[in-house]
Amino acid sequence: MTETLRDDRPRPRSPFGPTLDDVEFRGAMRRFWGRTYEEQEAFVARLNWNLVDVQTEAAFFHWLGHCLASRASLQQGFALKLLGRLPHPRRARYATLFGRIRDEVDDDLAARIAEVFGPVLGGAPKRRKRLQEESKPADESELQQLQEFFRKAGRARS
């Protein structure tokens, strides 16, 4: 038996609702900046970057830039770690912002920022880490095992 849905029945709330208007967004960011750094960091660490809109993404990238410009090494470490995990095209959108920050900070931090951003900010290109196993020819016992396996499976070739 199926139940028909009535049009006036309340629908479950969608997590992908409309974006915040400017007044709501400014209020949300004001409340965010009013929190302690630990609360801000915990919120950004849990943030699903695939679901944020352009305006929210820009605000949180500016927050990460603020963390890098601060003198606290814990904040800088968190920001660099998070930036390193984000996809390169997303980071590259804000290369000018982080380029200005890189010019204002000490040389060690500037090198770490360039390392995270890669060639976009003068760092080395990131190389994929591949497992390079030495290939060796199969010995007689391994060939016998393979032949036995395929013989059992009914697909052996002579």
Side-chain angles (χ1 to χ4, degrees), residues 43-90:
F43 180 80
V44 173
R46 289 188 316 264
L47 188 64
N48 187 343
W49 289 89
N50 295 320
L51 300 178
V52 297
D53 61 348
V54 176
Q55 183 181 22
T56 307
E57 179 182 290
F60 286 121
F61 266 93
H62 280 83
W63 181 81
L64 289 170
H66 177 75
C67 289
L68 286 175
S70 73
R71 300 290 179 225
S73 61
L74 288 176
Q75 291 180 12
Q76 293 170 349
F78 172 77
L80 288 170
K81 180 179 166 186
L82 185 63
L83 284 169
R85 288 193 324 234
L86 292 173
H88 178 73
R90 183 163 283 165

Side-chain angles (χ1 to χ4, degrees), residues 88 94-100 102 110 113-115 117-124:
H88 178 73
Y94 302 95
T96 55
L97 167 70
F98 289 97
R100 286 190 306 251
R102 185 196 61 192
I113 292 172
E115 179 184 328
F117 276 85
V120 174
L121 287 180

Side-chain angles (χ1 to χ4, degrees), residues 131-139 142:
L131 295 175
Q132 297 180 357
E133 298 176 4
E134 295 180 20
S135 60
K136 60 177 182 140
D139 61 2
E142 292 173 335

Side-chain angles (χ1 to χ4, degrees), residues 9-158:
R9 188 170 141 191
R11 303 276 182 224
R13 191 170 154 194
S14 171
F16 304 105
T19 59
L20 300 175
D21 64 9
D22 289 337
V23 175
E24 292 172 327
F25 180 75
R26 282 194 307 269
M29 290 311 296
R30 182 178 39 78
R31 288 189 300 278
F32 172 78
W33 281 97
R35 303 279 183 170
T36 64
Y37 171 74
E38 291 77 19
E39 291 173 325
Q40 293 174 1
E41 180 181 313
F43 180 80
V44 173
R46 289 188 316 264
L47 188 64
N48 187 343
W49 289 89
N50 295 320
L51 300 178
V52 297
D53 61 348
V54 176
Q55 183 181 22
T56 307
E57 179 182 290
F60 286 121
F61 266 93
H62 280 83
W63 181 81
L64 289 170
H66 177 75
C67 289
L68 286 175
S70 73
R71 300 290 179 225
S73 61
L74 288 176
Q75 291 180 12
Q76 293 170 349
F78 172 77
L80 288 170
K81 180 179 166 186
L82 185 63
L83 284 169
R85 288 193 324 234
L86 292 173
H88 178 73
R90 183 163 283 165
R91 285 189 310 243
R93 288 183 214 146
Y94 302 95
T96 55
L97 167 70
F98 289 97
R100 286 190 306 251
I101 293 169
R102 185 196 61 192
D103 294 340
E104 296 173 2
V105 295
D106 62 355
D107 293 337
D108 179 49
L109 183 58
R112 291 171 54 199
I113 292 172
E115 179 184 328
V116 167
F117 276 85
V120 174
L121 287 180
K126 297 194 178 212
R127 303 281 182 214
R128 290 188 175 177
K129 298 175 185 173
R130 294 182 183 168
L131 295 175
Q132 297 180 357
E133 298 176 4
E134 295 180 20
S135 60
K136 60 177 182 140
D139 61 2
E140 193 63 34
S141 66
E142 292 173 335
L143 290 174
Q144 290 295 329
Q145 288 175 345
L146 280 173
Q147 287 176 348
E148 183 64 31
F149 171 77
F150 284 114
R151 211 173 281 121
K152 287 180 183 177
R155 293 184 233 136
R157 292 187 183 162
S158 305

